[in-house]
Amino acid sequence: MENRADEAVSRFMRGYNCAQAVSSVFADDVGGVPEEVILCAATGFGGGVGGHTGGTCGAVSGAVLALGLLFGSTGPGEKTAKDLTYGLTREFVARFVEKNGTVSCTELLGCDLSTGEGLARAREENLTRTLCPPCYVKDAVEILEEVLAPVTSGQSTRR
C-alpha cells in the first residue's frame, strides 16, 4: 500500500488539484465526512486559491482543511477545539515555511499565476507538474502527519 504522501502525489498527477490531493488522503481519518464532500470543499483552494490567484499554496490549504475537519469547532462555544486547530495550523505552517521558505503559491513557483505572463510561464515550464507534486504536495502531507502524530498517537482522530 502506498503511503499518504505518495497517494496524494498520485491523485494530483491524475488531475485532482493540490488542495484536493492533500485533504482527500485524510478522508479515512475524518469520521462521517464523505470523501466527495472533502473534494468539493477543497476545490476552490487549488492553484493558490481560485486556480490562478497566486495566493496560499493549495497543498497548504488542503492540509489546513484536513486539520479543521479533524479537530475544528462546530460553534462559538467550542473554544478548546478552535484553539487546538489554530495551534496545529500554526505549527503546520511554520514547518512548511521552514522547509519551503513560504506558503505563497507565487513565491513557491517563482511566477505569479494571477498574471497572463506568469501563468504562461508556469504552463510553458510545466511548473505545477514538476515542482508541486514532489515538493509541495508531498511535503504538505508529510508535515501534516508529523504535526498530527503527537496529538493522535494511540487515539482515533475521528470526531
Side-chain angles (χ1 to χ4, degrees):
M1 182 171 120
E2 285 185 304
N3 67 35
R4 272 196 260 229
D6 291 339
E7 176 59 24
V9 168
S10 175
R11 289 176 185 211
F12 182 81
M13 296 306 288
R14 291 193 322 259
Y16 291 87
N17 74 31
C18 41
Q20 290 173 315
V22 170
S23 60
S24 67
V25 297
F26 290 90
D28 287 343
D29 298 294
V30 182
V33 180
E35 185 173 346
E36 294 79 18
V37 172
I38 296 169
L39 291 167
C40 287
T43 302
F45 294 109
V49 180
H52 301 128
T53 65
T56 300
C57 168
V60 169
S61 295
V64 173
L65 176 66
L67 284 168
L69 290 168
L70 290 165
F71 304 106
S73 65
T74 58
E78 295 185 8
K79 184 175 177 1
T80 302
K82 189 182 294 185
D83 290 346
L84 174 62
T85 306
Y86 285 172
L88 293 171
T89 298
R90 283 191 302 273
E91 184 177 349
F92 170 83
V93 168
R95 289 183 188 205
F96 190 91
V97 168
E98 182 180 318
K99 186 164 189 175
N100 296 294
T102 186
V103 296
S104 163
C105 183
T106 294
E107 292 177 33
L108 290 167
L109 293 178
C111 62
D112 187 350
L113 298 180
S114 70
T115 68
E117 180 182 305
L119 185 57
R121 179 173 161 242
R123 288 180 174 157
E124 180 181 303
E125 296 179 22
N126 206 22
L127 295 177
T128 61
R129 290 295 181 236
T130 57
L131 290 177
C132 296
C135 297
Y136 315 125
V137 169
K138 188 170 184 144
D139 287 352
V141 173
E142 290 174 346
I143 293 166
L144 184 53
E145 288 180 319
E146 291 170 8
V147 167
L148 289 174
V151 179
T152 61
S153 62
Q155 64 184 16
S156 171
T157 56
R158 295 178 190 264
R159 291 178 73 49

